[in-house]
Structures are given as C-alpha cells and as structure tokens.
C-alpha cells in the first residue's frame, strides 16, 4: 500500500505529540498549511507540508532560517 499523501489533524497531532486543538491552532494561525475537504472540521495536511513545518521549527530553534528553495526541494 502506498504512503498516503494527506494526513488528518488527528494524525498530525499524534505525530507532533500534541492535542487535536493544538494541531488545529497551527492550521488556524497558518503556521501549518492545510486544506479543508468537505464538511466542518475535515482538514488535511500534506505529508510534505508537515515535514516542511518540522524543519522550519528546527531551524527556528537553531536561530537560522531555511531558504525557500531548500525547503521546497525536500
């Protein structure tokens, strides 16, 4: 079975070890890019976007930034 392209907010919360509401807050603040599918609360985060978000947070922790080209290439 191929790796899924999209994750639910429950999946994101589990991966980041945070609550669903914390994952939703990241989406609401546009720190983590997600798309809304169908009805209320049906958010999906692309696996690549989650990885970009994690790498960005590591860069912030180091006090550096990731150039847009590097972040897109990963």
């Amino acid at each position: 079975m191929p790796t899924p392209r999209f994750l639910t907010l429950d999946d994101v919360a589990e991966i980041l070890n945070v609550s669903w509401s914390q994952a939703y807050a990241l989406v609401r603040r546009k720190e983590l890019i997600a798309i809304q599918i169908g009805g209320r609360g049906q958010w999906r985060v692309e696996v690549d976007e989650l990885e970009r978000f994690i790498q960005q947070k590591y860069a912030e922790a180091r006090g550096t930034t990731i150039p847009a080209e590097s972040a897109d290439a990963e």
Side-chain angles (χ1 to χ4, degrees):
M1 183 171 165
T3 305
R5 179 177 176 182
F6 293 99
L7 302 168
T8 65
L9 286 186
D10 285 328
D11 296 332
V12 170
E14 184 176 334
I15 290 166
L16 296 177
N17 199 25
V18 299
S19 69
W20 182 92
S21 19
Q22 288 172 311
Y24 178 62
L26 292 171
V27 169
R28 210 175 44 238
R29 291 191 307 258
K30 299 191 187 307
E31 289 184 52
L32 179 60
I33 305 304
I35 58 173
Q36 193 168 19
I37 304 293
R40 182 177 166 166
Q42 297 297 313
W43 290 95
R44 297 294 181 268
V45 176
E46 204 165 3
V47 172
D48 291 343
E49 279 299 321
L50 180 58
E51 187 58 35
R52 181 206 56 78
F53 170 78
I54 293 168
Q55 292 303 318
Q56 181 63 41
K57 289 301 178 185
Y58 272 118
E60 288 173 14
R62 290 184 193 104
T64 61
T65 58
I66 299 175
E69 304 82 44
S70 296
D72 291 342
E74 292 177 6

